[in-house]
Amino acid sequence: MLGMTYEDIVQKIMKETAMSRDVLDKKIEEKIKSLSDLISREGAAQIIANQLGVKLVENFGNRRFKLREVPRGASSVNVLARVVSIYGVREFNKEGRSGKVANLLIGDETGSLRLVIWDEKLIKLLEDGAINEGDVLRVNNAYSRVNNNYNELHLGSRAILDINPDGEKVAEVQARVGNVEKAESVKISELKEGMQVELNGTVVQLFEPRHYLACPNCNKKVFQQGLDYKCNTHDIVEPKKSPIVNIFFDDGSGNVRIVLFANQAAQLLNKSHEEIANANIEALDSFKRDVLGKQMLISGRVIRNQMMDRLEIISSNVKEADPVELIQMYEK
Ligand SMILES: [Zn+2]
């Protein structure tokens, strides 16, 4: 994620906290387990570093990323891309902060990303018509954020933007114009790590739901602190059980395990979070009767489960396949 190896991260934590190697390795293993093997060892080490307040230094140098390779949650990211769509400028007023934000879709030969502009000077350029669809943008010092499972590039006050710079060319853009949320429609047999996909298939297996304790306000995982549970945003809260559901999904070309958290699980099973998180064996049987064999469209991001050495999908959207929509999809 940060371009640091597991060993780099571990060494850095040990140096800054004087924690022993044994204790640290154990903490990281526990973190991987607590996240149901959903993250890599590097990812888990990074979370532990964050919890311990150890700042990991990213070092991409002057590297320029292809859009598909833009690391998640990184600062100082450089890309060269073409403007695919401009979604305009909107004003926001949130928690005492107000201002403007602009959204664009940019693309290169590897894919497309949402570009979010916060910097006032850059927004002004956009409002003045200095940025247009088809323009080449050289972006330096952007940062990436994950939003609804989609990686985005953000331009803050440190960002440097050059419009149609001399001598810079972008190959043909691989993007579906006009729809940021539109993921690639692919077969399960063609899945590759990091892809943002939409699969059309059938639910062939449903495993017993599990749950995590979540903040009732924002659904994020809470942390235990003494007798209390704490949300990073909402401080001490009365946590609720938020469901995690695992399924196998088959589209005829192969099958893949899909993990559905909270609202995704609720959408799949058409039940409330509580009903799913508290499901007993009988409830599970009735869920299975409802959902097994059902044809659905599931979007999400392809990740590699390191422990099992296989690809899985973290769902970001679930809907029942609508026959009319399916026909349109195949006609494209
Ligand atoms: Zn919260």
Side-chain angles (χ1 to χ4, degrees):
M1 252 187 280
L2 291 174
M4 288 176 83
T5 66
Y6 179 76
E7 199 52 36
D8 289 343
I9 302 173
V10 163
Q11 290 301 334
K12 175 99 187 179
I13 297 174
M14 281 169 37
K15 203 171 138 209
E16 295 203 8
T17 63
M19 191 178 273
S20 80
R21 178 81 198 212
D22 286 354
V23 173
L24 186 54
D25 279 337
K26 210 167 143 235
K27 258 188 181 308
I28 294 168
E29 287 306 320
E30 278 167 10
K31 178 54 71 184
I32 295 172
K33 278 212 189 78
S34 76
L35 291 171
S36 318
D37 301 334
L38 287 173
I39 52 166
S40 64
R41 263 154 62 85
E42 290 77 19
Q46 206 184 317
I47 292 172
I48 298 291
N50 289 341
Q51 286 175 350
L52 294 168
V54 174
K55 182 96 183 77
L56 300 172
V57 181
E58 301 156 33
N59 189 5
F60 300 132
N62 293 321
R63 182 172 163 193
R64 185 186 279 173
F65 289 94
K66 292 292 174 196
L67 294 188
R68 173 154 284 169
E69 298 162 356
V70 168
R72 307 180 126 207
S75 54
S76 38
V77 176
N78 308 328
V79 302
L80 183 75
R82 195 181 286 281
V83 178
V84 177
S85 298
I86 296 174
Y87 298 116
V89 178
R90 104 188 135 73
E91 292 186 24
F92 68 89
N93 202 326
K94 208 174 157 189
E95 286 157 14
R97 268 185 75 217
S98 65
K100 287 179 177 178
V101 59
N103 285 297
L104 285 74
L105 182 69
I106 56 171
D108 68 8
E109 72 274 23
T110 68
S112 58
L113 273 186
R114 185 152 90 138
L115 184 72
V116 184
I117 307 180
W118 301 96
D119 182 75
E120 286 171 27
K121 291 190 291 296
L122 297 180
I123 289 177
K124 183 84 174 43
L125 281 179
L126 187 70
E127 286 176 330
D128 291 347
I131 303 173
N132 294 289
E133 289 179 6
D135 283 349
V136 170
L137 300 183
R138 181 168 62 200
V139 174
N140 287 310
N141 251 334
Y143 59 96
S144 61
R145 284 287 172 274
V146 177
N147 183 13
N148 276 330
N149 250 339
Y150 290 88
N151 204 10
E152 299 176 341
L153 263 187
H154 290 232
L155 304 187
S157 57
R158 289 173 54 235
I160 302 163
L161 181 70
D162 296 303
I163 305 160
N164 297 321
D166 284 343
E168 300 272 29
K169 281 206 173 63
V170 178
E172 199 182 333
V173 170
Q174 291 294 325
R176 287 176 181 247
V177 176
N179 194 346
V180 198
E181 301 288 303
K182 199 78 191 176
E184 261 184 287
S185 222
V186 295
K187 290 285 172 203
I188 289 174
S189 59
E190 300 163 348
L191 295 180
K192 288 195 184 66
E193 191 178 355
M195 275 181 159
Q196 208 58 257
V197 296
E198 182 176 68
L199 298 175
N200 165 25
T202 305
V203 182
V204 292
Q205 182 59 285
L206 169 73
F207 297 96
E208 194 177 340
R210 290 178 288 113
H211 69 265
Y212 61 100
L213 290 177
C215 169
N217 305 313
C218 66
N219 245 338
K220 295 226 173 76
K221 193 173 168 165
V222 293
F223 300 92
Q224 196 162 8
Q225 196 176 67
L227 293 174
D228 294 322
Y229 289 92
K230 215 171 160 182
C231 164
N232 278 338
T233 312
H234 298 98
D235 207 41
I236 291 169
V237 291
E238 189 67 49
K240 60 163 197 169
K241 284 185 180 177
S242 208
I244 309 172
V245 164
N246 281 269
I247 61 170
F248 267 104
F249 199 61
D250 196 300
D251 70 352
S253 78
N255 61 63
V256 66
R257 193 184 183 99
I258 302 183
V259 188
L260 303 104
F261 289 94
N263 293 340
Q264 306 304 319
Q267 257 175 282
L268 175 82
L269 298 172
N270 205 9
K271 295 277 184 294
S272 71
H273 289 191
E274 292 71 28
E275 282 174 288
I276 301 168
N278 295 320
N280 56 19
I281 297 291
E282 285 103 67
L284 177 62
D285 280 344
S286 98
F287 293 169
K288 281 186 177 173
R289 275 196 300 277
D290 287 346
V291 80
L292 294 186
K294 214 177 200 180
Q295 192 170 20
M296 313 212 70
L297 290 171
I298 301 186
S299 310
R301 188 174 182 84
V302 183
I303 59 146
R304 179 166 293 281
N305 180 328
Q306 303 276 357
M307 306 290 261
M308 308 294 286
D309 193 29
R310 66 176 177 207
L311 296 176
E312 297 183 349
I313 290 180
I314 306 288
S315 164
S316 56
N317 194 34
V318 180
K319 60 185 180 183
E320 246 178 271
D322 168 4
V324 175
E325 204 168 331
L326 282 179
I327 291 164
Q328 288 170 346
M329 207 165 90
Y330 289 123
E331 281 176 347
K332 259 181 222 160

